[in-house]
Amino acid sequence: MTTDSSASSLIIGGAASSPRAPLPTLPPLALYIHIPWCVRKCPYCDFNSHTASPVLPEQEYVDALLADLDQDLHAAYGRELTSIFFGGGTPSLFSAEALGRLLQGVEQRIPFAADIEITLEANPGTFEQEKFVAYRKLGINRLSIGIQSFQQEKLEALGRIHNGDEAVRAAGMARQAGFDNFNLDLMHGLPDQSLDDALSDLRQAIALKPTHISWYQLTLEPNTVFWNQPPVLPEDDTLWDIQEAGQALLAEHGYAQYEVSAYAQAGRPARHNLNYWSFGDFIGIGAGAHGKLSHPDGRIVRTWKTRLPKDYLNPAKSFQAGEKSLSNDEMPFEFLMNALRLTAGVESRLYPERTGLSLETLAEGRREAEQSGLLQVEPSRLAATERGQLFLNDLLQQFLN
């Protein structure tokens, strides 16, 4: 769908709005790189990941990634990259040599900001830990280590291939390799998990002193093994107790919640993720990667790439599977779906700056959300109340057309 920015007026949420204006400045630009292979697909995972063959097509995939990026360069508009995130799958299955060639190729095409954040997702297996030093030498300066739990029975239930001791060692080896900024991924609400189990995992994670902890509840997603064969999960009362006690424990140890499931030490939030939540731009390359790109004329386009690795690597097929220009009436929901995940929300001025639309286009939905106690009554900010954070879907419904 193509947006017609010449329309004289639109009705959004019941309020008349001006046509979308050219953006005064383009948002910060990030790069997401998807590497879709894993040693084994976990039963809860709905990401675009595929079991790796004994030999990965590293060279061919890096070539494809750079060719994919070449086709998106028109959207960079002279900007520099503020962050890069290697996601998956398990990106740390790739050798340092392959990732080094890729990073060199990216920097030749788009300049890096002096303080660029480059994050690599990694698993705690010993083989991958041996690569940490080499990754750090490439300029990768942040790791996100997929722990999920430190307890063997929980790891087995989740289909993870590491054990608790390897998880503990991974954090130490990351620090020894020179990573002074790293995240630990941890789940709660696991099969048969008690409050004590969940807090034990959290205490172990805190003891490893990561700068950032992603702590999120296991959910059963369609097209996963767990969806078709659901495990026994804790009762709602237990889940609520875990959430409350865990948040208090994290706060007690200096991890401030800045997003729905993200907790960070002072000054250490994930800048790549903050760019997502503040409606920044990102190029997405790799099998199944998504992107969001703003253009000076006011168009905002979401893109997605060919999903299956074999198709992505097929020179007869296009890298891009589709794109969609966001229309004016979709913009309030699209913006707030991201911004309201942040516990502090965003400054109100960011909405016209990032969308080209007047704040008046939010007026009716904003009034209703404030009256229902879901949105803070604060003209200079767009932020959910504590109740709004608990019922975020209900809050967003106020802005859905």
Side-chain angles (χ1 to χ4, degrees):
M1 177 164 50
T2 303
T3 298
D4 181 4
S5 60
S6 65
S8 59
S9 67
L10 291 167
I11 303 298
I12 300 178
S17 71
S18 302
R20 192 187 309 174
L23 299 181
T25 58
L26 291 175
L29 181 65
L31 175 65
Y32 175 76
I33 302 172
H34 192 77
I35 296 179
W37 292 283
C38 284
V39 173
R40 184 171 67 195
K41 180 87 170 177
C42 295
Y44 58 84
C45 179
D46 69 334
F47 296 136
N48 184 31
S49 59
H50 306 266
T51 302
S53 59
V55 179
L56 289 172
E58 286 189 339
Q59 180 170 332
E60 297 90 337
Y61 197 71
V62 169
D63 288 343
L65 287 168
L66 293 174
D68 188 359
L69 180 58
D70 283 336
Q71 295 186 6
D72 283 342
L73 286 182
H74 66 278
Y77 294 109
R79 288 176 287 182
E80 61 186 16
L81 288 176
T82 60
S83 65
I84 297 174
F85 194 99
F86 289 92
T90 307
S92 53
L93 290 179
F94 267 35
S95 67
E97 180 183 10
L99 295 185
R101 185 165 74 88
L102 176 56
L103 283 172
Q104 183 180 39
V106 171
E107 191 170 16
Q108 288 170 349
R109 289 160 171 82
I110 309 177
F112 290 2
D115 62 346
I116 189 171
E117 175 192 271
I118 305 178
T119 301
L120 179 81
E121 287 186 338
N123 280 338
T126 302
F127 175 69
E128 293 177 41
Q129 293 172 31
E130 293 171 353
K131 301 178 183 177
F132 286 0
V133 171
Y135 290 148
R136 186 66 189 91
K137 288 179 180 177
L138 296 178
I140 295 169
N141 52 23
R142 185 175 181 272
L143 288 180
S144 182
I145 305 174
I147 302 293
Q148 313 316 346
S149 177
F150 294 93
Q151 298 165 32
Q152 189 59 33
E153 68 275 13
K154 299 297 187 285
L155 290 168
E156 289 174 1
L158 292 173
R160 304 294 290 175
I161 60 173
H162 66 272
N163 60 44
D165 289 341
E166 287 176 321
V168 171
R169 285 199 299 271
M173 293 186 74
R175 189 173 281 108
Q176 290 170 18
F179 288 96
D180 61 356
N181 189 14
F182 65 93
N183 168 66
L184 297 183
D185 255 356
L186 205 64
M187 283 185 179
H188 61 88
L190 305 180
D192 297 316
Q193 188 178 49
S194 66
L195 172 61
D196 287 344
D197 288 338
L199 294 182
S200 174
D201 268 348
L202 206 46
R203 289 191 185 98
Q204 177 64 82
I206 291 168
L208 297 174
K209 295 182 168 47
T211 50
H212 190 285
I213 296 176
S214 296
W215 188 61
Y216 51 95
Q217 183 178 322
L218 171 65
T219 56
L220 305 186
E221 302 290 351
N223 303 314
T224 65
V225 172
F226 274 4
W227 180 264
N228 295 313
Q229 304 170 30
V232 178
L233 300 181
E235 299 289 339
D236 287 346
D237 287 348
T238 301
L239 292 173
W240 181 251
D241 291 343
I242 289 172
Q243 186 74 32
E244 283 197 314
Q247 287 178 328
L249 183 63
L250 285 159
E252 177 187 339
H253 287 85
Y255 291 91
Q257 183 180 15
Y258 69 94
E259 190 263 340
V260 170
S261 58
Y263 303 78
Q265 293 178 343
R268 292 296 200 167
R271 280 189 280 146
H272 188 84
N273 290 347
L274 281 177
N275 188 55
Y276 286 153
W277 309 140
S278 57
F279 216 52
D281 278 358
F282 55 99
I283 295 172
I285 59 173
H290 286 243
K292 176 255 173 184
L293 297 166
S294 303
H295 299 268
D297 61 7
R299 286 180 302 119
I300 297 175
V301 180
R302 291 203 178 276
T303 64
W304 54 97
K305 301 299 171 67
T306 297
R307 184 176 175 84
L308 293 177
K310 67 179 180 62
D311 291 337
Y312 185 82
L313 289 170
N314 184 347
K317 294 183 179 290
S318 172
F319 293 123
Q320 185 154 303
E323 68 172 46
K324 180 183 187 299
S325 291
L326 298 180
S327 63
N328 285 22
D329 61 349
E330 293 172 307
M331 204 65 70
F333 180 84
E334 287 279 337
F335 179 88
L336 293 171
M337 177 178 63
N338 293 279
L340 294 181
R341 289 183 63 95
L342 295 169
T343 54
V346 297
E347 293 184 34
S348 298
R349 63 171 177 78
L350 199 66
Y351 178 74
E353 287 179 9
R354 298 283 162 91
T355 68
L357 294 173
S358 163
L359 276 169
E360 184 61 24
T361 62
L362 298 178
E364 183 173 328
R366 194 172 186 177
R367 259 192 315 275
E368 292 175 358
E370 289 172 351
Q371 289 170 2
S372 60
L374 299 175
L375 195 70
Q376 293 182 22
V377 182
E378 190 175 349
S380 64
R381 294 198 73 77
L382 293 163
T385 61
E386 286 189 20
R387 182 167 178 266
Q389 290 170 20
L390 293 174
F391 300 99
L392 192 55
N393 287 339
D394 293 338
L395 170 52
L396 291 171
Q397 288 298 315
Q398 309 285 349
F399 301 93
L400 186 60
N401 291 280

